[in-house]
Amino acid sequence: MTAAELKQEIDQRWPGQVHCPDFGSRGSPCEVTCARTALPELCGRLFLEWSFSFTGLIVEEGASEWQLRYVFYGEGDAGWVHVLVTAPLAEKTFPSIVKFVHAADWHEREAEDLFGLIFEGHPRLGDFILHDDAWQEGVEPMRHHFDPQAAMRHRKPDEDWRPTRIVQEPGAFVMPVGPKYSGVTESVHFLLETVGEDVIRSTPRLFYKWRAIEKLAEGKTADEVLLLAERFAATTAFAHGLAFCQAVEQICGANIPARAKTLRVFLAELERLRQHAGAIREICESTALAVATAHAGILEEDLLRVSGELTGHRYLFGLLAPGGLLCDLPNDACRQALEKSQKVLSQLNALEQRLRVSSSFLDRLEEVGIVPPRTAMVYGLLGPIARASGIVRDLRRGQPYSGYEKFQFDVPCEQEGDGYARLRILFAETRQSVRIMEQAVAALRGGGASSPLSSATRASPLQFRAGAALGWVEAPRGGAFHWVRLNESGKIARYRIVPPSFANWHGFHLAVEKFAFQDFPIMLSTFDLSVAENDR
Amino acid sequence: MSQWVINGIRAGIKTTAYPAKPEAAAGVSPGLPVGGDYPANQVASLIERCPTGVFSQANGKVRADIRRCIHCYRCVRGVEPPVNWEQTYEWGTVRDGRHEFGQPFERSIHICVVDAGDCGACLNEVKQLNNPYYNMHRLGFFITPSPRHADVLLVVGPVTDHMKFALKKVYDAMPTPKRVMAVGACAVSGGAFAESFVCAKGVADVLPVDVEVPGNPPPPLAILHGLLVAVGRKTPAALISPAPNFENEGLTKS
């Protein structure tokens, strides 16, 4: 759908209720202001009929009114559409859009928990980020009047807390798993409801690791918050740091040097390659294929060492700065890192060939944890998981950033939506990543290999000013969106992270249901979910 | 199936010679800043630049408390002259200067890993210990899912409020004698998340910690060193450089 068509549709359907300004240039959002009554239908049409992807709900508490921002993006020239709804602070009830946009389910639950907003028509609010057994009612931590330094620390968890049981068949019971449940795993709780062999219903209970990054960021400088953006989900640190930097740079109108952009692409792809190798290792491990686990483990560690040798840090910390990069990387070192990555890639390809003919391995992946394309769309799944279910969406292609439009690469896609399709996507994407890295190294010109203060990789000091912007990056696990608002003194007024795992955890329960217990770890590993990323 | 065997042999031996010999490969550690003598005009800006307060001034020297370092590189990148940086990895140390762990910990130990708000990197580095490069099984270290079988509780993350209860339950479920190991800057000192309304300032706020491994994240070799310290096969590292004279300065050791 083109921008002009969209504007015409909106003006015709909701005259007087929805105000749609003219679409600006590509990349800048079109802010559609909407009356509360028209909100669910407008969002529903954008999402279901006009094929816009739902990014997230961003709640902002102004001086006198709420501003709810529903962010969508399309593939055509309509680009970003922000649907805005405002209301005085005293009015805390909004219509829920979940009926039409199921992907907004968890966004509304989060806003209910953290801001105390009520979404009329939402089927299930409560016990989400703030666990019911640990927080008393009425705490609204993201409100301005909530003091993060205030003593909230001596809450006694209720040992008798029990989750609601939903399956009511004779013999049904709940199998609680977690938060500490296996060897080396992230903390998450699963309530698996069953009558015997198969999981009938699964409810993940997340946010055991909630560190309230968004609250901690408020009132800090962009430089300080970058530390949090890199560290809240460190296996994809560079992608999240980049999304944050891009948001700040857009507010400040910074002009990023071409060399810094190319190096950012190179590093982002190195991270994707490493993260995918790690995900492949996890899948091999979950099927108890020890030799393949060892092989993939070697390749992951090889890539960690490549990252460490090139940048000093194995997880690419401390490289980004708003305006460019904190230091320059020598062209020769990048070339060496590329050569080593190519070697790793050829071994990954060989590993894939061997896995493809290992029937005991395939038996455990094929037709396991199926997510059909329609469901993936309704849940707004992102990244490799969506691409394994027939949704060809990639921000690097659809909404290019950091110069991705200059690179040649394919977006792999599979239709089956099962565990094996997700594994094939991971392997295919590693090939594309190396392909992009090759082009990035070929495009590296000049550069100040000698001086750490090179102007080649850093824009002149940024002029921080009041404003807000969305930064987006196709992180290894899918689209990562960082909304940043700066106040007049250049400090962070609102920071909202919409990580890919937040959407993918939402859809995870679908893959698990109607499958046997022993497949559970395999489905978990093929989804490559990060709890740290989701919990923030 | 024979392909797996052939390729396994072809891959050769990857395992590090550490702890018998030091590991010399590049990229195995992010390194840490070191204290010492710095030009007088640099000291103030150095102390100010560090977001977590690694540096302080003591007796005319810069003292670096590397338990707080989160590898932001603000003291080396984009600044002239950069602070001294050492590519070491033997970072495991003992809290309160306790060296004697006793006989139960001298040989093989089983480790229970709890994620108490980790960003994923520390946990990933713990996972690397099982890959052929580090292969901690050869040293008698095993990861066990059950606290009932564990000798050492390895905690990563700053301990979020939601995890506090679960962490205590795991600790209580472990048989005595037991030891607690805090791995990563967050677990040791709160790291980037420090103390907040949802987060403690490291594991020591909740449990008695015996072994500390700093780093954000600590590389696998550092965690391995921490485990070797826990079983008394390696000497603990000094985490404050230059090492302070505790008695003269009236400091406590933890």
Side-chain angles (χ1 to χ4, degrees):
Chain A
M1 171 168 259
T2 67
E5 281 167 1
L6 182 65
K7 179 171 165 50
Q8 200 189 350
E9 281 275 355
I10 289 176
D11 287 345
Q12 263 175 16
R13 263 177 212 276
W14 300 281
Q17 281 190 296
V18 181
H19 175 66
C20 179
D22 287 326
F23 280 79
S25 59
R26 194 177 171 80
S28 65
C30 174
E31 296 193 336
V32 178
T33 43
C34 174
R36 274 192 281 183
T37 45
L39 177 72
E41 205 198 330
L42 171 62
C43 292
R45 287 208 187 271
L46 278 168
F47 186 68
L48 294 172
E49 207 169 297
W50 302 327
S51 301
F52 277 76
S53 301
F54 178 68
T55 293
L57 162 63
I58 297 154
V59 179
E60 288 187 90
E61 182 188 353
S64 62
E65 57 178 23
W66 295 107
Q67 190 185 59
L68 271 61
R69 181 183 293 267
Y70 297 81
V71 182
F72 294 85
Y73 67 96
E75 296 287 301
D77 71 334
W80 295 91
V81 176
H82 292 198
V83 178
L84 300 181
V85 177
T86 51
L89 281 184
E91 284 179 39
K92 296 174 87 177
T93 308
F94 291 86
S96 168
I97 64 164
V98 168
K99 191 162 55 164
F100 301 112
V101 188
H102 188 63
D105 179 6
W106 280 16
H107 291 269
E108 291 185 357
R109 288 178 72 182
E110 178 176 334
E112 192 258 355
D113 248 7
L114 300 184
F115 288 94
L117 299 180
I118 297 153
F119 292 91
E120 242 170 16
H122 193 291
R124 185 175 177 230
L125 296 169
D127 191 56
F128 190 56
I129 292 184
L130 308 179
H131 289 175
D132 277 356
D133 54 332
W135 294 74
Q136 60 267 49
E137 286 298 309
V139 180
E140 294 157 2
M142 284 307 284
R143 295 288 302 269
H144 289 323
H145 62 67
F146 181 87
D147 177 11
Q149 307 304 327
M152 286 290 300
R153 315 216 40 237
H154 300 288
R155 299 187 307 274
K156 255 215 156 93
D158 175 9
E159 294 191 29
D160 296 324
W161 183 86
R162 293 288 179 276
T164 334
R165 227 183 71 189
I166 291 160
V167 178
Q168 295 294 342
E169 279 174 61
F173 64 96
V174 182
M175 173 98 96
V177 180
K180 159 80 191 125
Y181 64 96
S182 181
V184 186
T185 49
E186 288 195 84
S187 290
V188 54
H189 192 62
F190 298 99
L191 300 161
L192 304 177
E193 293 187 59
T194 177
V195 279
E197 275 290 308
D198 290 354
V199 178
I200 297 177
R201 226 194 115 81
S202 104
T203 317
R205 193 169 187 239
L206 289 142
F207 296 101
Y208 279 91
K209 293 164 57 161
W210 184 51
R211 288 144 291 167
I213 302 297
E214 292 160 0
K215 187 72 183 179
L216 297 185
E218 286 178 5
K220 291 195 170 146
T221 63
D223 238 21
E224 290 166 337
V225 174
L226 177 59
L227 294 176
L228 296 174
E230 278 180 343
R231 279 163 185 76
F232 83 96
T235 47
T236 51
F238 194 82
H240 285 290
L242 182 55
F244 173 77
C245 284
Q246 286 178 358
V248 174
E249 285 154 7
Q250 206 191 323
I251 299 170
C252 304
N255 203 5
I256 313 302
R259 184 177 170 81
K261 280 189 177 179
T262 312
L263 281 172
R264 281 176 169 189
V265 168
F266 180 79
L267 293 166
E269 294 306 321
L270 178 60
E271 180 176 72
R272 190 186 319 276
L273 179 62
R274 194 257 303 147
Q275 174 57 32
H276 280 8
I280 290 163
R281 192 226 335 120
E282 295 268 329
I283 293 173
C284 296
E285 200 173 355
S286 72
T287 58
L289 198 61
V291 188
T293 310
H295 277 296
I298 289 171
L299 300 179
E300 188 191 7
E301 173 68 18
D302 280 343
L303 290 167
L304 282 166
R305 289 184 182 187
V306 169
S307 310
E309 193 181 356
L310 174 67
T311 70
H313 197 276
R314 287 155 61 91
Y315 293 85
L316 310 179
F317 285 7
L319 289 162
L320 284 161
L325 291 174
L326 204 53
C327 63
D328 200 357
L329 301 172
N331 292 354
D332 283 347
C334 291
R335 199 165 296 120
Q336 280 167 18
L338 172 66
E339 280 164 16
K340 287 179 185 164
S341 304
Q342 286 166 326
K343 216 173 276 172
V344 170
L345 179 69
S346 68
Q347 285 169 294
L348 271 172
N349 288 339
L351 179 67
E352 188 186 12
Q353 291 310 315
R354 291 200 294 279
L355 288 174
R356 273 181 54 186
V357 292
S358 299
S359 54
S360 65
F361 174 73
L362 295 185
D363 283 348
R364 304 213 62 189
L365 287 182
E366 278 182 310
E367 292 180 31
V368 161
I370 299 168
V371 182
R374 171 81 191 158
T375 323
M377 199 281 282
V378 168
Y379 274 75
L381 299 189
L382 294 165
I385 297 158
R387 293 193 279 271
S389 294
I391 296 178
V392 198
R393 271 188 187 149
D394 190 319
L395 288 165
R396 293 174 293 173
R397 177 63 57 76
Q399 302 289 339
Y401 53 89
S402 198
Y404 264 110
E405 63 276 5
K406 293 183 203 135
F407 291 88
Q408 302 285 320
F409 62 97
D410 299 324
V411 179
C413 182
E414 301 282 350
Q415 299 300 325
E416 290 91 335
D418 61 350
Y420 186 38
R422 292 193 279 274
L423 179 72
R424 291 202 305 274
I425 290 282
L426 290 177
F427 275 114
E429 289 194 0
T430 57
R431 288 189 277 276
Q432 298 304 322
S433 286
V434 173
R435 197 173 150 199
I436 296 170
M437 285 164 74
E438 284 163 0
Q439 295 169 51
V441 167
L444 282 179
R445 300 257 182 286
S450 53
S451 162
L453 287 166
S454 167
S455 61
T457 53
R458 184 110 191 235
S460 47
L462 297 188
Q463 297 298 314
F464 290 109
R465 53 179 175 228
L470 184 76
W472 64 87
V473 159
E474 183 72 26
R477 294 188 176 95
F481 307 90
H482 289 231
W483 173 261
V484 179
R485 182 176 291 281
L486 298 181
N487 60 20
E488 288 71 23
S489 48
K491 301 273 176 66
I492 308 287
R494 175 83 170 104
Y495 182 30
R496 166 89 160 102
I497 311 166
V498 186
S501 291
F502 190 62
N504 291 342
W505 267 113
H506 183 210
F508 173 63
H509 77 97
L510 290 168
V512 187
E513 283 159 17
K514 300 191 181 61
F515 285 96
F517 267 107
Q518 69 266 23
D519 291 331
F520 184 74
I522 295 171
M523 288 179 278
L524 195 57
S525 68
T526 57
F527 258 71
D528 185 24
L529 297 161
S530 164
V531 183
E533 199 176 72
N534 175 82
D535 288 7
R536 286 159 283 158
Chain B
M1 276 328 259
S2 59
Q3 279 301 307
W4 290 111
V5 180
I6 293 163
N7 274 284
I9 293 166
R10 215 174 267 162
I13 294 170
K14 295 277 184 187
T15 310
T16 176
Y18 184 82
K21 286 181 198 156
E23 173 63 60
V28 291
S29 168
L32 280 170
V34 280
D37 290 312
Y38 285 93
N41 55 358
Q42 198 195 342
V43 174
S45 76
L46 190 62
I47 293 170
E48 196 201 359
R49 278 186 83 86
C50 181
T52 51
V54 168
F55 303 107
S56 59
Q57 213 169 354
N59 306 334
K61 289 181 184 222
V62 171
R63 173 180 291 160
D65 179 358
I66 58 176
R67 287 178 300 188
R68 312 185 69 87
C69 180
I70 57 168
H71 304 304
C72 69
Y73 298 97
R74 304 262 159 102
C75 55
V76 270
R77 289 176 181 164
V79 52
E80 282 295 344
V83 78
N84 292 332
W85 199 270
E86 269 182 5
Q87 294 295 335
T88 53
Y89 51 79
E90 291 197 319
W91 301 343
T93 194
V94 178
R95 250 179 103 88
D96 299 331
R98 274 190 287 169
H99 291 252
E100 284 305 314
F101 280 108
Q103 215 206 341
F105 295 92
E106 275 174 7
R107 297 186 186 277
S108 166
I109 52 168
H110 281 66
I111 303 149
C112 180
V113 182
V114 172
D115 163 18
D118 169 56
C119 63
C122 289
L123 218 50
N124 209 44
E125 296 293 47
V126 173
K127 282 179 194 164
Q128 300 306 318
L129 289 174
N130 263 336
N131 84 25
Y133 272 113
Y134 301 106
N135 185 15
M136 66 171 173
H137 293 181
R138 77 200 148 100
L139 300 166
F141 302 135
F142 299 92
I143 292 199
T144 169
S146 167
R148 296 276 188 226
H149 302 158
D151 309 297
V152 170
L153 176 62
L154 193 159
V155 189
V156 290
V159 188
T160 55
D161 268 14
H162 287 172
M163 274 309 290
K164 208 180 272 178
F165 180 52
L167 179 62
K168 278 185 184 156
K169 269 179 107 169
V170 170
Y171 179 77
D172 291 340
M174 284 168 62
T176 49
K178 54 191 164 189
R179 295 289 177 259
V180 178
M181 207 171 143
V183 169
C186 299
V188 171
S189 67
F193 311 109
E195 199 170 11
S196 79
F197 71 107
V198 286
C199 212
K201 207 175 162 66
V203 184
D205 272 10
V206 186
L207 297 176
V209 174
D210 300 287
V211 177
E212 289 181 330
V213 184
N216 192 262
L221 287 172
I223 305 171
L224 210 54
H225 180 256
L227 288 168
L228 290 165
V229 166
V231 294
R233 284 193 245 159
K234 279 273 177 188
T235 46
L239 293 189
I240 298 176
S241 78
N245 187 333
F246 286 104
E247 278 162 25
N248 288 359
E249 295 176 34
L251 293 169
T252 51
K253 281 196 173 184
S254 61

